[in-house]
Amino acid sequence: MDQSGVSQSKSQSEPVCGKEALDLLNCVTQSPYDQDKCLRLLQSLRDCVLNKKVKKFSLADQEQQEANTTGKKA
């Protein structure tokens, strides 16, 4: 298993720290904005990233674009 944020563990189909990242993103879009809640979610994401040794997050669309760009350079 690589350590990017989109890695998937064998026992689950979610990306590593995906739930924490999504919870934080959804928190910042809520109105009214609850800064204390979002800070708790940020800390939860940070803890997950450190525990799982995640080095980089990327979106599925980004990976496809990078693959296409790399393929066209050859």
Side-chain angles (χ1 to χ4, degrees):
M1 171 172 69
D2 85 35
Q3 296 298 310
S4 70
V6 294
S7 298
Q8 301 200 0
S9 71
K10 294 175 184 173
S11 64
Q12 58 183 344
S13 61
E14 281 188 18
V16 174
C17 301
K19 180 186 182 317
E20 292 83 354
L22 189 59
D23 287 346
L24 177 59
L25 289 169
N26 285 327
C27 182
V28 300
T29 64
Q30 291 176 347
S31 184
Y33 174 66
D34 185 345
Q35 184 173 1
D36 291 335
K37 177 182 176 184
C38 292
L39 285 173
R40 285 191 305 273
L41 292 170
L42 175 62
Q43 188 59 53
S44 176
L45 176 58
R46 178 69 178 153
D47 291 343
C48 181
V49 166
L50 293 174
N51 289 335
K52 304 286 186 173
K53 297 181 173 76
V54 174
K55 295 179 182 171
K56 181 180 176 181
F57 282 97
S58 63
L59 301 174
D61 289 346
Q62 281 180 306
E63 288 183 340
Q64 291 173 353
Q65 288 173 358
E66 288 173 5
N68 289 341
T69 303
T70 303
K72 290 179 183 176
K73 289 180 182 176

